[in-house]
Amino acid sequence: MRRRTFAASLGAAAVAAAAVPAPAFAKTSGRCEDAYTWRNAVVNGGGYVPGIVFNETEANVIYARTDIGGLYRWQESTQSWAPLLDWVGWDDWGWTGVVSVATDPVETGRVYAAVGTYTNDWDPSSGAVLYSDDYGATWGAAELPFKQGGNMPGRGMGERLAVDPADNAIVYLGTPNGNGLWRSIDHGRTWARVEEFPNPGNFVQDPGGEYSDDNQGVIWIEFDQDGRIFVGVADPADPLYVSEDRGQTWQPVPGAAAIGAVDGNKTIPKQAAIDHANGHLFIVTSWDPGPYNGSPATGKGGAIWRLDLATGEWADVTPSYNPIGSIPGFGGITVDRQRPGTLMAATQNNWWPDEIIYRSTDSGATWETSWDYAWDANWSWPPERTDRFTMDASGSEWLSFGGVDSGPQYAVKHGWMIDALSIDPHNSDRIMWGTGATIWGTEQLTAWDAQGALVGWDDAAGHQVALPVDPFTVAVRVEGLEETAVQDIAALGGTVVTAMGDLGGFVQTDLGRAGAQIRHPNWSSGRGMDFAALDPDIVVGTGDVDGDTDGHVGVSLDRGATWLTTKRLEGVAGGANGGTVAVSADGAVIVWTPGDGTTLPVFSTDLGQTWTPVEGLPAGAKVRADRVSPNRLYAFAAGKCYASTNGGLSFTATSASGLPAEGDVDFRAVPGKRGQLWLVGGKADATYGMWRSNDGGQSWTRNSDFAEADAVGFGKSHGRRGYPTVFVSAKADGVRGIWRSIDEGRSWQRINDDAHQWGWTGKAISGDPEVYGRVYIATNGRGLICGDIAD
C-alpha cells in the first residue's frame, strides 16, 4: 500500500501562485515570471452533491462531497464552500470522485475522503483514502488495492467511511465488489481488510450493465453509545451486522432480514442514523441504489425502519402517505441531535411533480410532508399545491431550467436525487440537502413544527382544502462549489460562452455571477462552441438535444443573449452526441459534424434551417474555421488533415503526415493569422504531442517541448502587434500543467502550480482576446477555471 503527501490550497476563491523567474536558458520552465490568481467563473453548483457531513463536536465544520468535482469545506464567515482537492493532478484524476467523507468527532481537524471515480475500466487507477489533520489544508493518500465508485450507481449511500469515537485512530471503510469491510488503526495511514467481517454484500443493480453491475458491498458504519458497531450491507437477506467487542467478531442483527424487502421488491439499507438519546437506529431502504431510478414496477420501493437498540425490537415507521401515490424509495435520512425523536427523510425519486421531504418529531410514529396537493371543488386535474417553504433561487436563477410553474410542478424544485440530507447537530434550525444540481438550505427549519397540517377536509365543500401556512424560506447554499463539466469555450471578449455536460451551456458577461443558461436549443449536454472571428456577435454551438423537434445546432446573432432554433437533421436522433461545430470567419457558413460516428458532416448557409452534405470529409471529422479568411476552413480525422477554400462546402485532404491517428485530437486556428493552426492530442504509447502549421494544414512541425498535449487556445498578445499568447494543457519534462508562451512557442512557462491542478484539463482551453494573460480552463467537474496575472 503506497502513501503519498500533498499540500492543498485552502481559503479565498482567488489564490495567487508564487512567482519565480524562469531561467533564461530554459525553453520550458516549471515556474512563470508572472504570479497567477485562480477563481471560478461562477455557475453555483451544477452537479450532483451526494453527501453533506457535519462534524458532531465542532460547530460549522461541514464537508460536501461531489461525484466528479472533489471535496469542499464550509466557510461560515462567507457562507460559501472552499475546494479542498484542487491539488489532484492529471494522473490521479479519478480522485476527484469522492465516494465518502468522514470528519473526526474527537480531533476535529482530522478528515478523511474515500476517492476513486469509476470501478470499471473508465478509470485506470485504484482508489485511495485521503487523510488530513488540518481540516483539509494538507493531505496524505493511502492507495488501495481496489477501485471505488465516486461516480457510480449507489454513490449517495453511506457514509462508507466512519471514525470510531471511542478510539479515533480507528477508521472504517465499506467497499464495493466483494472487497468487504476495511479498517485503519493509524488515522488512515494504512489499511487492512477486516477478515472477521463475514459478508461483502451481493446486491447488483444490473448484472449485464457496464456501468451498473457493481456489487454494492458494504454500505455504511454507525456507532452507538455502548460501543457497538453497526454495519449495513447490500444483501437483502442479511443486511445488518453488529460487533460488541470493538470489531473483533461480528454477528447478524436478529430480525434484520425483515428490512430486505417491501411489497415484494428486494431492498438494501442505503443510509442510517442513530438517535442516541432515545436509543434508536433508523434505516432507510430502497429497491435501487440510486441516484437515478424512480419507482419499481409495482408497489413501494423502500421503507424506513427503527431498531430499538435496548430491546432489539424492529418497527416499520415508513410514512403512510405520498401525494403522488406509492413511495418510490428513499434517499437521505437525518436526525436532530438537539431534539431527540426528530428525524427527516427524502424520497428518491418522485420525478413528478417534486420530491417529498418528510419530518417526524415522534421517532417516526407520525410524519408530515414538505408539500401536498390542494384540490378545488371539482377535484380538477392537475391540482394546485401547498408548501411549507418557498424556494429562493437568487443567484442561481438557472435552477428553473427555463421552466415555469405548472400546477403542482414548480419550475424550481425541492430537487431530485436527494441523498445528502443533514440537520446541523449544533443547530436545529439549520439543514442542508444536496440535489443533482445544487445545495439547498435554511436556518429556519423549526418553523415547520409550528405550521400544523398543510391540508384539511372541508365537509361543506366535500373536498380537501389547503390550510393557512406561514412558509419559511429555503435558499441556495452552494456558493463556492462549482461542479460543471465544461466541454468547450468561446471567449468573445467581455463575454464567455461555454458548452457544458448535463446543463447545456452558459453565457457570462460577469464571471462573478451565474450567467444565463442556454435553453434553446434544449441541450441536455452542450458539446461544442464557436464564433465568427470577424463578427463575434455570431455564436454557434452544438449539443445533445432533449425532445424531438429542436436541431442539435444553436445559433445566436447577439453574443449568446438569444438563440435561434435550427432544423433537426434527418436520421440523427435527439439524444445522439451533438458532435462539433464551426462557423466561417464572416458567419456565412456553419459546418456541423454530428457525434453519432456515422453521419457525414453537413453545412448550412441559412443559419441551420437547411443542411447539405459536405464533400470530401469522413464521419467524425472535426472542423475549425480560419480566423481571418471566410473561405478557409480546416478539418482533421484519423491522422489526416483536410482544407477547404470555398467556405466549407467541400474539403480536400492535404499531404500532411506524421499526425496522431489514434486518441483524442483537437486543433485550433490562430486569431488574426491566416492559415495558422495548432494541433494537440494523440494516444499514450503512440503518436502524442503538439504540432503547428503555417500553411493551412499542408505541412506540420512538431513542437518538441511537450511529450503530451491535449488542449490549446489563444489569447491577447503580450505586445500590441505580437503573436497571440498560446496556452496549452500539456506535459513537459515529466510535469503536467497549464503552459503559456508569449513568443510564438519559442519558450514556455508553467502558469499553474501543484496546488492548482484540477484533475483532468484536457478538453478545452482559451485565452481572452481583450485581457492579456487571462486563461480559461475547462475541467471535468470543477467548472470553468479563470486565471489572471496577479497584478
Side-chain angles (χ1 to χ4, degrees):
M1 179 176 295
R2 284 179 38 184
R3 286 196 291 155
R4 292 187 275 163
T5 57
F6 307 87
S9 181
L10 172 65
V15 183
V20 178
F25 58 86
K27 196 171 184 184
T28 58
S29 170
R31 296 287 185 177
C32 181
E33 62 189 13
D34 294 316
Y36 264 73
T37 62
W38 302 100
R39 57 179 168 146
N40 272 101
V42 171
V43 167
N44 289 329
Y48 179 38
V49 181
I52 300 171
V53 175
F54 287 76
N55 188 281
E56 294 193 3
T57 306
E58 183 177 347
N60 301 320
V61 176
I62 316 166
Y63 297 92
R65 61 181 176 91
T66 71
D67 54 2
I68 63 171
L71 180 69
Y72 290 78
R73 199 185 92 206
W74 180 252
Q75 310 293 292
E76 183 69 15
S77 61
T78 59
Q79 297 288 289
S80 64
W81 300 91
L84 300 182
L85 301 187
D86 282 356
W87 53 268
V88 172
W90 183 281
D91 292 337
D92 297 315
W93 65 264
W95 291 4
T96 60
V98 183
V99 74
S100 189
V101 61
T103 173
D104 192 323
V106 180
E107 297 175 89
T108 55
R110 294 187 185 273
V111 59
Y112 305 89
V115 297
T117 300
Y118 298 106
T119 57
N120 56 23
D121 60 6
W122 300 351
D123 184 348
S125 301
S126 292
V129 174
L130 310 181
Y131 52 85
S132 173
D133 302 338
D134 51 15
Y135 301 96
T138 59
W139 292 88
E143 297 183 48
L144 300 168
F146 51 82
K147 295 184 177 184
Q148 300 187 110
N151 196 32
M152 297 293 289
R155 57 194 180 272
M157 299 194 297
E159 293 288 327
R160 293 180 185 261
L161 274 172
V163 179
D164 189 338
D167 181 355
N168 70 315
I170 298 175
V171 188
Y172 284 93
L173 171 67
T175 72
N177 292 324
N179 293 297
L181 180 67
W182 284 61
R183 178 170 54 207
S184 171
I185 59 173
D186 56 4
H187 299 289
R189 271 61 177 173
T190 60
W191 292 82
R193 182 167 179 164
V194 181
E195 298 296 344
E196 299 80 10
F197 192 79
N199 190 347
N202 58 21
F203 185 91
V204 178
Q205 177 187 359
D206 178 10
E210 178 186 17
Y211 177 63
S212 54
D213 60 351
D214 275 356
N215 168 6
Q216 291 296 323
V218 180
I219 302 173
W220 49 261
I221 303 98
E222 291 283 342
F223 304 89
D224 76 359
Q225 290 190 320
D226 293 329
R228 291 181 294 183
I229 309 170
F230 292 87
V231 177
V233 179
D235 178 355
D238 209 2
L240 185 62
Y241 285 78
V242 64
S243 175
E244 298 183 354
D245 55 10
R246 305 210 33 80
Q248 300 306 303
T249 62
W250 301 85
Q251 299 80 35
V253 173
I259 76 174
V262 57
D263 289 350
N265 298 305
K266 293 182 178 180
T267 56
I268 57 175
K270 290 187 61 178
Q271 291 190 22
I274 293 183
D275 179 344
H276 294 294
N278 287 321
H280 291 150
L281 170 64
F282 292 96
I283 299 173
V284 290
T285 69
S286 194
W287 73 286
D288 181 88
Y292 306 113
N293 292 330
S295 298
T298 60
K300 290 187 295 186
I304 303 178
W305 290 86
R306 183 184 69 210
L307 173 64
D308 189 310
L309 297 175
T311 67
E313 179 184 357
W314 286 94
D316 182 346
V317 295
T318 308
S320 60
Y321 175 66
N322 180 2
I324 71 166
S326 182
I327 289 174
F330 287 98
I333 187 169
T334 182
V335 298
D336 187 339
R337 299 288 180 206
Q338 301 297 316
R339 296 188 175 198
T342 296
L343 66 151
M344 299 177 70
T347 54
Q348 190 180 77
N349 285 299
N350 264 357
W351 287 115
W352 190 95
D354 207 343
E355 295 284 22
I356 291 286
I357 297 177
Y358 289 98
R359 181 174 173 89
S360 173
T361 57
D362 53 13
S363 299
T366 62
W367 296 88
E368 293 178 326
T369 60
S370 54
W371 63 268
D372 203 346
Y373 288 143
W375 298 91
D376 64 19
N378 297 317
W379 295 89
S380 303
W381 183 264
E384 294 300 314
R385 173 174 149 181
T386 180
D387 293 73
R388 295 192 179 277
F389 47 80
T390 58
M391 307 294 289
D392 180 2
S394 297
S396 300
E397 285 80 6
W398 61 268
L399 286 169
S400 69
F401 290 89
V404 296
D405 293 354
S406 177
Q409 179 171 260
Y410 295 169
V412 177
K413 294 176 173 287
H414 289 8
W416 54 95
M417 298 157 50
I418 301 176
D419 283 311
L421 181 73
S422 297
I423 299 173
D424 187 340
H426 309 279
N427 179 3
S428 297
D429 271 317
R430 176 153 70 174
I431 189 172
M432 294 184 185
W433 69 85
T435 77
T438 192
I439 295 174
W440 294 106
T442 185
E443 293 74 42
Q444 304 169 337
L445 179 59
T446 59
W448 180 315
D449 300 328
Q451 291 173 333
L454 285 176
V455 296
W457 186 262
D458 187 327
D459 289 328
H463 64 84
Q464 184 174 283
V465 294
L467 298 177
V469 169
D470 183 16
F472 56 95
T473 300
V474 168
V476 172
R477 294 291 181 267
V478 80
E479 288 85 354
L481 191 156
E482 297 290 341
E483 201 191 348
T484 54
V486 180
Q487 305 297 298
D488 207 356
I489 307 163
L492 312 182
T495 301
V496 179
V497 188
T498 47
M500 291 184 176
D502 293 335
L503 298 180
F506 277 80
V507 181
Q508 295 183 267
T509 57
D510 179 353
L511 298 179
R513 296 174 58 86
Q517 186 186 29
I518 299 171
R519 294 303 309 166
H520 299 288
N522 189 17
W523 292 328
S524 56
S525 284
R527 298 296 178 182
M529 201 65 64
D530 196 17
F531 63 95
L534 302 181
D535 186 0
D537 285 355
I538 301 173
V539 183
V540 299
T542 185
D544 314 345
V545 182
D546 281 338
D548 299 322
T549 56
D550 284 356
H552 291 74
V553 176
V555 180
S556 174
L557 304 180
D558 51 13
R559 302 170 70 86
T562 60
W563 292 81
L564 306 177
T565 300
T566 63
K567 295 296 184 181
R568 173 74 59 85
L569 182 62
E570 185 176 353
V572 180
N577 185 294
T580 59
V581 68
V583 60
S584 61
D586 61 357
V589 181
I590 301 168
V591 181
W592 172 45
T593 299
D596 59 3
T598 59
T599 305
L600 296 176
V602 292
F603 72 86
S604 175
T605 58
D606 55 6
L607 302 178
Q609 299 310 299
T610 59
W611 296 99
T612 303
V614 172
E615 294 181 13
L617 288 183
K622 184 171 288 185
V623 180
R624 303 295 183 199
D626 193 278
R627 291 315 204 188
V628 176
S629 172
N631 290 326
R632 294 179 177 269
L633 285 88
Y634 314 98
F636 182 88
K640 292 185 178 180
C641 184
Y642 303 80
S644 171
T645 57
N646 62 357
L649 280 61
S650 63
F651 286 76
T652 302
T654 73
S655 60
S657 61
L659 299 174
E662 301 176 88
D664 292 329
V665 177
D666 194 13
F667 73 103
R668 303 283 172 161
V670 182
K673 305 294 180 180
R674 186 192 310 269
Q676 296 207 19
L677 310 169
W678 294 65
L679 182 146
V680 290
K683 182 180 179 182
D685 301 322
T687 306
Y688 200 175
M690 181 164 73
W691 292 259
R692 178 182 174 186
S693 174
N694 291 327
D695 57 7
Q698 300 299 317
S699 62
W700 295 83
T701 301
R702 178 161 186 166
N703 185 301
S704 61
D705 298 310
F706 299 114
E708 301 175 0
D710 293 88
V712 65
F714 309 96
K716 185 177 181 179
S717 64
H718 184 253
R720 179 179 297 180
R721 297 181 180 176
Y723 197 85
T725 300
V726 187
F727 297 97
V728 61
S729 175
K731 182 178 183 179
D733 300 324
V735 178
R736 265 282 176 184
I738 306 300
W739 301 81
R740 185 190 79 179
S741 175
I742 58 174
D743 57 8
E744 205 169 335
R746 288 187 289 273
S747 64
W748 299 87
Q749 294 178 334
R750 186 187 181 208
I751 61 174
N752 68 318
D753 57 21
D754 288 350
H756 301 89
Q757 300 192 71
W758 314 288
W760 189 77
T761 56
K763 195 64 177 179
I765 193 170
S766 178
D768 190 285
E770 295 181 353
V771 182
Y772 166 67
R774 176 171 290 178
V775 61
Y776 303 103
I777 304 166
T779 74
N780 186 43
R782 271 289 285 121
L784 182 66
I785 298 292
C786 175
D788 281 304
I789 297 173
D791 58 357

